[in-house]
Amino acid sequence: MSTDLTTYENLLNAITVDDGAAVHDPATGELIGNTKMSTTAEVDEAVARAREAQKSWGALTHAERSAYMHKAADAVKASAEALAQVLAREVGKPLNGPNARFEAGACEAWLRANADFEIAEEVLVDDESGKAVINYVPIGVVGAIGPWNWPMMISIWQLAPSLRMGNTVVMKPSEHTPLSVQALIAVLNQVLPDNVLQVVPGAGDIGQAVSEHPDIDKIMFTGSTKTGQAIMRSAAADMKRVTLELGGNDAGIVLDDVDVDQLADDLFWGAFINTGQTCAALKRLYVPASIYDDVVAALAKIATETPMGQGVSEENVLGPLQNEAQQKIVAGLVEDARNAGATIVTGGNPDANQPGYFYPATIVSDISQDNPLVQIEQFGPALPIIKYDDLDQAIEWANELDVGLGSSVWSADAAKAREVANRLIAGTTWINKHGAIDPRVPFGGVKKSGMGLEFGVEGLKQVALPKVTAR
Ligand code: NAD
């Protein structure tokens, strides 16, 4: 009889082992459990099983695979609270706000959306010269390698379209959040056929084994630009297909016609969602001199009033950084900004006596474009606000970095906002919001933020091979 995975205790028991690597709560340092760590031989075995399972999975119709995916979504819904509890402990993200429960809910929504997209044969030519059609057929085995910031949601972004298109999947979670991904996969595997979806927890060496594996046909990767470059090099040997969702340093430009009080909350959460540990979060904000002080004050007020603490406590909506390395990066960048003469309006100065990797929500003003806190992805709760006098200059600053994931324009004038949006170089430019994603709307980066698109029908096509038939 299979175990009921709808409680946190049962789910944790199903995914932890006695002798694996220890996993700790980043808010308290408490041991959560031990995770299995795979060997490269186990990667080989998983890939061999995935290749065998792909034959029957790929032979199903779209309707049959979609039915499985809806059943998988039902299973996620039934275990949603248990999954959120795992996220709250392992990632540290609070249960409430746009955090753990939100992430578990998004997994269900993404599965259903991917189950329901229509992907029909496209007729390209049908006239006296002949008929040509294009179909999207399975690639084979997809290797999916993920980061630690949204471990379940990003896994779903990778596995849902891959499965829908008839591929089998071998997932390599981040070594920082192995339990979250194993929990999600245990829940999904209650309903999926054997070996269609497998997980090989491990560190970078296991990621490398996946990306170099000759029997893996496509890599879906989300993580840093540096690792993305290594994966692209590994993939070249077998001409593997790759989708790379990499780092960003998203700019937001506020125009001088906004109602500051009305937008302040959306600006704050655009930057501080998941305590700033979000690829497409607002990471540098350009504000005109005429309303600069008002915007700084409004954001500092929210930063001071927003509760931060342990993930499992219901009152919090900001949590710790997920790991010590990330906490050091944020602290170092803020200290460098202070030493360069910037003003730390609120935050900075983490409490050295507090356990866990906390860093307070920090607003930095009077900072110049060339400061490292502006130039480097901080990936944490510290927002630099840069003053501008000339909109053309702000657009130039927004565009001058070598990454381009998201960006945003904030204005009361829709036409003017659109005009500025058209001049920003990024995969997505949002207007009067930042980082809002939708399973129907393609998402991806330009420049060193990545290659390829996820979500929507475009996303399905990227985990399939275009097959033309012509007569
Ligand atoms: P990372 O690149 O350090 O690690 C990501 C994954 O790659 C991990 O599972 C890791 O074990 C694995 N890995 C490490 N070395 C490898 C190698 N040589 N070959 C194959 N795999 C290897 O990234 P991270 O620190 O986990 O994530 C944070 C970064 O991810 C930030 O830059 C963030 O902006 C980016 N990110 C991007 C998106 C997006 O959609 N564009 C989403 C989330 C995070």
Side-chain angles (χ1 to χ4, degrees):
M1 202 183 81
S2 63
T3 317
D4 166 21
L5 299 183
T6 61
T7 68
Y8 170 70
E9 290 73 19
N10 285 356
L11 190 51
L12 191 69
N13 276 338
I15 56 169
T16 47
V17 293
D18 291 336
D19 56 351
V23 180
H24 299 99
D25 182 334
T28 59
E30 275 167 35
L31 179 73
I32 305 168
N34 296 305
T35 176
K36 175 183 163 52
M37 296 291 275
S38 311
T39 62
T40 51
E42 286 169 327
V43 173
D44 291 343
E45 288 159 17
V47 174
R49 288 192 296 268
R51 187 149 287 285
E52 187 57 34
Q54 196 277 327
K55 291 176 193 159
S56 49
W57 180 251
L60 297 179
T61 63
H62 277 293
E64 288 167 329
R65 287 194 296 265
S66 292
Y68 269 113
M69 291 175 66
H70 275 296
K71 280 194 202 138
D74 294 341
V76 168
K77 187 176 181 186
S79 290
E81 182 60 20
L83 290 167
Q85 294 281 342
V86 176
L87 287 168
R89 286 173 172 85
E90 186 178 56
V91 190
K93 58 178 73 185
L95 291 165
N96 294 315
N99 295 301
R101 289 182 178 129
F102 166 83
E103 182 166 356
C107 290
E108 183 200 341
W110 242 263
L111 280 164
R112 295 201 196 283
N114 276 278
D116 290 343
F117 292 137
E118 298 280 343
I119 179 145
E121 176 173 274
E122 294 167 20
V123 179
L124 307 170
V125 174
D126 189 8
D127 60 18
E128 61 286 352
S129 69
K131 184 168 183 180
V133 297
I134 189 165
N135 281 281
Y136 292 89
V137 302
I139 304 183
V141 179
V142 171
I145 304 172
W148 46 262
N149 57 338
W150 291 91
M152 291 187 195
M153 190 161 81
I154 289 173
S155 296
I156 287 284
W157 295 357
Q158 298 174 330
L159 70 87
S162 299
L163 294 179
R164 167 67 201 276
M165 295 309 288
N167 309 290
T168 51
V169 178
V170 176
M171 303 218 65
K172 208 302 279 176
S174 167
E175 54 274 40
H176 294 296
T177 50
L179 298 179
S180 298
V181 176
Q182 289 176 89
L184 176 69
I185 289 179
V187 169
L188 299 175
N189 275 340
Q190 294 174 108
V191 300
L192 293 173
D194 286 350
N195 300 322
V196 160
L197 176 62
Q198 298 173 81
V199 57
V200 284
D205 59 326
I206 296 299
Q208 191 177 343
V210 168
S211 64
E212 288 176 347
H213 204 290
D215 262 345
I216 287 184
D217 307 284
K218 160 104 195 185
I219 297 291
M220 298 284 286
F221 173 72
T222 298
S224 65
T225 298
K226 188 164 163 272
T227 308
Q229 289 165 325
I231 285 175
M232 207 166 160
R233 280 191 291 273
S234 303
D238 298 307
M239 208 60 84
K240 280 187 185 62
R241 274 59 188 151
V242 290
T243 296
L244 303 173
E245 295 285 0
L246 310 178
N249 192 348
D250 290 10
I253 301 183
V254 178
L255 305 191
D256 58 10
D257 58 15
V258 299
D259 177 336
V260 175
D261 290 336
Q262 202 191 334
L263 292 183
D265 252 342
D266 290 338
L267 277 170
F268 180 82
W269 283 109
F272 288 86
I273 181 168
N274 198 30
T275 316
Q277 303 161 107
T278 298
C279 53
L282 175 53
K283 294 183 179 129
R284 47 197 174 112
L285 184 63
Y286 297 92
V287 176
S290 57
I291 54 169
Y292 186 79
D293 291 346
D294 294 343
V295 171
V296 169
L299 290 178
K301 182 169 185 292
I302 301 173
T304 319
E305 291 171 353
T306 304
M308 175 183 280
Q310 204 179 337
V312 288
S313 300
E314 296 282 346
E315 69 274 18
N316 297 321
V317 287
L318 294 171
L321 277 306
Q322 199 281 329
N323 54 75
E324 190 178 10
Q326 196 57 45
Q327 188 198 36
K328 284 198 169 128
I329 291 171
V330 178
L333 286 169
V334 173
E335 277 322 294
D336 287 352
R338 190 199 304 272
N339 294 335
T343 304
I344 314 302
V345 185
T346 186
N349 305 324
D351 178 357
N353 297 319
Q354 185 183 26
Y357 306 127
F358 285 97
Y359 195 87
T362 299
I363 300 292
V364 181
S365 69
D366 308 317
I367 185 164
S368 62
Q369 169 70 3
D370 60 3
N371 190 288
L373 182 59
V374 178
Q375 297 278 319
I376 297 171
E377 183 188 34
Q378 73 277 42
F379 215 59
L383 180 67
I385 306 180
I386 306 104
K387 190 185 292 178
Y388 75 82
D389 293 308
D390 171 20
L391 181 58
D392 289 338
Q393 172 73 84
I395 294 170
E396 200 179 309
W397 281 338
N399 286 337
E400 79 174 20
L401 304 190
D402 63 358
V403 285
L405 190 56
S407 60
S408 57
V409 183
W410 304 74
S411 171
D413 178 340
K416 180 79 182 161
R418 184 63 203 270
E419 195 188 304
V420 176
N422 288 344
R423 294 173 62 192
L424 292 178
I425 305 168
T428 303
T429 300
W430 288 280
I431 293 175
N432 294 335
K433 55 187 180 180
H434 198 113
I437 49 166
D438 181 315
R440 300 165 299 182
V441 181
F443 172 75
V446 299
K447 299 200 263 186
K448 287 185 182 165
S449 287
M451 185 168 289
L453 288 169
E454 293 186 305
F455 313 167
V457 176
E458 280 306 315
L460 292 186
K461 290 180 179 175
Q462 304 220 354
V463 280
L465 293 176
K467 171 75 194 288
V468 172
T469 315
R471 65 170 165 77

